[in-house]
Amino acid sequence: MKKLFNKKDISPSCSYCSHGRLAPDKESVLCYKKGVVSLSYACRKFKYDPLKRKPLRPKPIEKFEKSDFSLEDFSLTVDEEN
């Protein structure tokens, strides 16, 4: 796996290679080097094109209430022995 922009979780894929473009059926890539290949295929000629990659959506931010930040409901239990 190549390191792309110092991120290890991005693996090479022809879907965002500069040598290919998405086929009309949207299930394959038309590559200038290898011909018709699948979206997940990656060859040795892979060249990353950041404009073709669609990053994953970030996780939604949790909704907090005012009571989540209150100390009123917090109770400490102290051991009598210590």
Side-chain angles (χ1 to χ4, degrees):
M1 178 185 314
K2 292 183 180 180
K3 240 182 173 183
L4 304 174
F5 292 112
N6 295 327
K7 295 190 180 208
K8 295 180 183 179
D9 57 345
I10 301 173
S11 59
S13 172
C14 284
S15 60
Y16 43 85
C17 177
S18 64
H19 298 297
R21 63 179 189 177
L22 193 61
D25 66 357
K26 300 200 182 346
E27 294 180 5
S28 57
V29 176
L30 305 173
C31 180
Y32 296 116
K33 304 284 183 178
K34 297 287 184 173
V36 180
V37 295
S38 69
L39 289 171
S40 61
Y41 182 77
C43 67
R44 291 172 46 190
K45 301 287 185 177
F46 174 77
K47 186 174 178 186
Y48 181 62
D49 185 1
L51 298 177
K52 288 187 178 182
R53 186 172 158 267
K54 295 179 184 172
L56 298 175
R57 289 184 157 216
K59 293 181 182 178
I61 299 173
E62 294 182 32
K63 302 287 183 184
F64 292 106
E65 297 178 6
K66 190 174 181 179
S67 63
D68 293 333
F69 300 100
S70 173
L71 294 176
E72 294 174 5
D73 296 334
F74 184 71
S75 63
L76 286 174
T77 56
V78 179
D79 290 338
E80 299 283 333
E81 298 171 3
N82 290 335

